[in-house]
C-alpha cells in the first residue's frame, strides 16, 4: 500500500471515529456547552496530518490557509439552520437543501478567490489570519444575543451516528486524496465540509425537534473558530516541530486560546440576557 493510500485510510478512519464520539455532547450538555465542545478541533487533525505527510510545506500552508474561510462558510451554513425554519417556514428537508446550496455557492466563490489572491503572491499565513478574523467576528455577532439552548431528552439513533462518522470519514479521505494530487486549496476546503454540522442538525431535529439544533447552531459557529485557530497555528508549528508534536501542540493551543474563552464568553452573554429578561419581566409586572 502506498504512502498516499495509507494516509487516506488512516485519516478517514480516525476522522470517522472522532466524529461519532462527539455527537452526544449537545444532547447531554445542552446546545450552549455542547455546541462548543462539539467544535473542538477533531477531523481537521487527521486531515492536517495526512496533508502534511504527502505534500510540500508550501502546499500544506495553502491548504491550511483556506480552512478559516471554509469554517466561515460553515458558519453561514449554520445561520441558515437558525433562520430558515422560523423566517421562511422551511421544513427539515427544505432547510437541509438550502443550507447545502448556500455552502456550495459560497464555498466555490471562496475557492476561486483564494486561488486568485494567493497566486498573486499573497502570504498564506497572512491570508489565514484574515479569514480567522472574519470567522471570529461572525461567531461573536451570531451569539451576542443569547438564544435558548435546551438539552435533548431523547438519544440520537445508532444508525445516525454511523452515518455521521461515515460522512466525516469520506470528507477527510477525499481532502487528503486531493492534497496528494497537488490541489491544496480544494483539499483545504473539502476538509471543512460540514459533515458533522449537517448530520448533527438533522439528527437532533429528528430526535429532539428543531429547538435543540437551533439553540446549538450559534455556539457551534463561535466554537468552530477553534478549527481556524488550529489551521493558522499548524502553518507555523508543523514545520517547526514536525507533524506529531506539532499537531499535539496546535490542538492544545487551539483549545486553550479559543475553546475555553469561547465557553466563558457564552456563559457571560447568557447571564446578561437572563438578567435583562428578569428586568423586563419586573418592569412589566409593575406597569400592570
Amino acid at each position: 500500500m502506498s504512502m498516499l493510500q495509507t494516509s487516506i485510510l488512516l485519516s478517514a478512519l480516525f476522522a470517522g471515529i472522532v466524529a461519532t464520539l462527539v455527537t452526544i455532547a449537545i444532547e447531554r450538555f445542552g446546545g450552549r456547552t455542547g455546541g462548543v465542545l462539539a467544535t473542538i478541533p477533531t477531523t481537521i487533525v487527521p486531515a492536517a496530518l495526512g496533508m502534511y505527510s504527502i505534500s510540500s510545506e508550501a502546499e500544506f500552508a495553502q491548504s491550511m490557509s483556506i480552512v478559516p474561510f471554509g469554517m466561515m462558510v460553515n458558519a453561514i451554513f449554520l445561520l441558515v439552520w437558525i433562520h430558515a425554519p422560523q423566517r421562511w417556514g422551511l421544513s427539515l428537508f427544505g432547510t437541509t437543501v438550502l443550507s447545502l446550496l448556500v455552502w456550495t455557492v459560497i464555498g466555490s466563490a471562496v475557492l476561486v478567490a483564494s486561488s486568485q489572491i494567493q497566486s498573486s503572491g499573497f502570504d498564506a499565513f497572512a491570508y489565514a489570519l484574515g479569514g480567522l478574523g472574519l470567522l471570529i467576528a461572525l461567531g461573536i455577532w451570531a451569539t451576542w444575543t443569547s438564544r435558548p439552548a435546551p438539552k435533548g431528552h431523547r438519544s440520537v439513533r445508532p444508525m445516525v451516528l454511523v452515518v455521521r462518522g461515515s460522512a466525516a470519514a469520506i470528507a477527510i479521505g477525499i481532502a487528503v486524496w486531493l492534497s496528494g494530487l497537488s490541489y491544496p486549496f480544494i483539499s483545504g476546503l473539502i476538509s471543512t465540509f460540514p459533515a458533522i454540522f449537517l448530520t448533527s442538525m438533522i439528527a437532533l431535529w429528528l430526535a429532539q425537534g428543531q429547538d435543540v439544533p437551533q439553540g446549538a447552531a450559534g455556539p457551534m459557529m463561535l466554537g468552530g473558530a477553534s478549527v481556524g485557530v488550529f489551521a493558522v497555528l499548524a502553518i507555523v508549528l508543523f514545520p517547526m516541530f514536525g507533524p506529531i508534536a506539532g499537531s499535539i501542540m496546535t490542538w492544545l493551543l487551539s483549545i486553550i486560546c479559543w475553546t475555553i474563552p469561547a465557553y466563558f464568553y457564552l456563559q457571560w452573554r447568557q447571564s446578561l440576557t437572563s438578567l435583562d429578561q428578569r428586568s423586563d419581566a419586573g418592569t412589566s409586572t409593575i406597569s400592570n
Side-chain angles (χ1 to χ4, degrees):
M1 185 178 292
S2 67
M3 181 67 176
L4 175 59
Q5 292 174 324
T6 302
S7 297
I8 292 172
L9 290 176
L10 290 178
S11 298
L13 178 62
F14 181 71
I17 293 173
V18 170
T20 57
L21 292 178
V22 300
T23 299
I24 58 174
I26 294 172
E27 289 186 310
R28 292 193 175 182
F29 301 106
R32 193 169 299 108
T33 301
V36 173
L37 291 177
T39 50
I40 288 174
T42 51
T43 56
I44 188 63
V45 179
L49 285 169
M51 291 175 194
Y52 189 82
S53 67
I54 58 178
S55 57
S56 66
E57 288 187 7
E59 289 173 337
F60 176 73
Q62 289 179 327
S63 294
M64 291 296 100
S65 71
I66 200 174
V67 168
F69 287 95
M71 293 306 298
M72 186 176 68
V73 178
N74 287 349
I76 298 172
F77 168 92
L78 288 170
L79 276 178
V80 174
W81 284 88
I82 293 176
H83 297 292
Q86 293 179 340
R87 293 191 177 185
W88 304 311
L90 292 184
S91 63
L92 172 59
F93 178 77
T95 303
T96 301
V97 172
L98 179 61
S99 63
L100 287 174
L101 179 62
V102 167
W103 189 91
T104 301
V105 171
I106 299 179
S108 299
V110 166
L111 184 63
V112 172
S114 298
S115 300
Q116 292 179 343
I117 290 173
Q118 292 200 38
S119 64
S120 65
F122 198 72
D123 181 68
F125 180 74
Y127 186 70
L129 276 179
L132 179 60
L134 292 173
L135 173 60
I136 290 173
L138 184 57
I140 291 176
W141 171 78
T143 54
W144 189 254
T145 300
S146 182
R147 300 173 59 88
K151 296 180 181 180
H153 299 290
R154 290 175 290 178
S155 297
V156 176
R157 290 175 294 178
M159 180 56 66
V160 176
L161 299 179
V162 173
V163 171
R164 176 177 176 161
S166 300
I170 292 170
I172 298 306
I174 292 174
V176 176
W177 173 64
L178 290 172
S179 179
L181 298 178
S182 296
Y183 296 115
F185 291 118
I186 298 177
S187 63
L189 182 64
I190 293 297
S191 72
T192 64
F193 179 77
I196 294 178
F197 289 167
L198 176 63
T199 50
S200 295
M201 294 293 104
I202 293 174
L204 290 169
W205 186 314
L206 290 174
Q208 320 292 349
Q210 71 180 54
D211 289 341
V212 173
Q214 284 185 328
M220 290 174 76
M221 289 173 63
L222 184 69
S226 64
V227 178
V229 173
F230 181 96
V232 170
L233 292 174
I235 294 175
V236 177
L237 297 181
F238 272 52
M240 188 178 299
F241 296 100
I244 303 301
S247 62
I248 294 173
M249 293 176 63
T250 303
W251 186 79
L252 290 174
L253 286 172
S254 301
I255 294 174
I256 294 171
C257 296
W258 186 254
T259 302
I260 294 175
Y263 169 77
F264 285 110
Y265 162 79
L266 289 172
Q267 295 297 104
W268 171 63
R269 292 307 306 166
Q270 170 62 19
S271 65
L272 290 181
T273 301
S274 299
L275 183 62
D276 290 341
Q277 290 174 344
R278 288 196 296 269
S279 177
D280 292 341
T283 302
S284 176
T285 301
I286 293 174
S287 63
N288 290 334

